[in-house]
Amino acid sequence: MLDPNFPLSDIFTPQEAVFISNPFAALPYHCPTEENLIKYFQQWCNIVTHEEVVYPGYFTRKNIPGLYHEIHERSTKLLKERGFDYLSAVPTWFHIAKLYEQLGLEYFDDNDAGQIKLLTDKVSYKMGHERRISSWIITLQYWAKLTESVGWDPEQIAGENVLRGESGEILTFPLAPEHNLWMIKNL
């Protein structure tokens, strides 16, 4: 879905490009020292304040316009023709879940739908730039949970970028190794 004619390396350092392509791999779970947690947050800040912010998980700076919709339309048609009743997806990123919502997919689990709504209500998700920043803010919540788990207050570093629920818990995108975030669409 991403256009290889616009590599991250054109405008980002090699370290930033690696960070963008998988910010979860950069989380210092192996050694969550204050220094490592601050270093992660500083990398995050460099990306979200860059003049050309890209979505987390991207390997290039731009996607191929209209390709998601084209693939969705063709896939839906092909699956219907072959007798399938459902199209399902497992979005890894907040912005992909929101795209799938636009394509008519719904969350299989009501709890997941509720968690996505809580997150959506906490961030501005209107236009391109805001959407990219919002996806990065939601990705940052895993850092905030790690920071809190070692006894530090993530708000002291990240301020309002830490998203909390009514009972004070840090809100994260509902996808974890033990839980798939399933979305489904009736064909």
Side-chain angles (χ1 to χ4, degrees):
M1 309 290 179
L2 300 175
D3 190 336
N5 293 311
F6 299 94
L8 294 174
S9 59
D10 282 352
I11 61 170
F12 294 101
T13 68
Q15 295 84 5
E16 289 171 333
V18 168
F19 185 84
I20 291 167
S21 67
N22 192 351
F24 296 123
L27 282 164
Y29 286 112
H30 64 286
C31 187
T33 63
E34 185 174 4
E35 179 183 345
N36 287 340
L37 290 164
I38 289 173
K39 181 180 176 185
Y40 182 94
F41 183 70
Q42 288 170 338
Q43 284 184 296
W44 181 87
C45 287
N46 289 343
I47 301 306
V48 300
T49 60
H50 195 278
E51 64 184 48
E52 193 173 334
V53 180
V54 298
Y55 286 108
Y58 267 33
F59 295 93
T60 70
R61 296 185 344 261
K62 298 184 182 203
N63 60 6
I64 300 170
L67 189 58
Y68 278 112
H69 295 286
E70 181 75 20
I71 290 173
H72 176 258
E73 288 173 18
R74 288 183 185 203
S75 298
T76 301
K77 181 181 178 201
L78 178 66
L79 291 169
K80 281 173 114 174
E81 289 172 356
R82 303 269 170 102
F84 289 91
D85 296 320
Y86 299 99
L87 173 67
S88 66
V90 180
T92 305
W93 305 97
F94 178 73
H95 59 276
I96 299 298
K98 299 303 285 180
L99 170 67
Y100 289 163
E101 284 180 15
Q102 291 174 349
L103 295 175
L105 281 84
E106 297 177 349
Y107 300 96
F108 185 76
D109 183 319
D110 290 338
N111 292 324
D112 291 341
Q115 186 75 1
I116 295 293
K117 180 170 179 1
L118 283 172
L119 289 168
T120 303
D121 290 346
K122 296 274 184 183
V123 296
S124 179
Y125 199 78
K126 296 177 183 139
M127 301 303 283
H129 181 76
E130 289 175 325
R131 288 179 183 207
R132 290 186 290 275
I133 298 295
S134 294
S135 199
W136 276 105
I137 290 171
I138 288 168
T139 301
L140 184 68
Q141 303 319 297
Y142 291 95
W143 168 88
K145 281 187 89 160
L146 178 60
T147 301
E148 189 172 70
S149 77
V150 296
W152 294 310
D153 180 3
E155 280 92 349
Q156 284 191 344
I157 301 167
E160 65 186 29
N161 289 313
V162 178
L163 308 177
R164 293 194 181 266
E166 288 182 15
S167 58
E169 78 284 7
I170 294 172
L171 301 174
T172 57
F173 186 68
L175 180 66
E178 65 277 355
H179 174 80
N180 281 329
L181 175 65
W182 283 102
M183 295 183 78
I184 194 165
K185 179 178 182 176
N186 290 328
L187 302 174

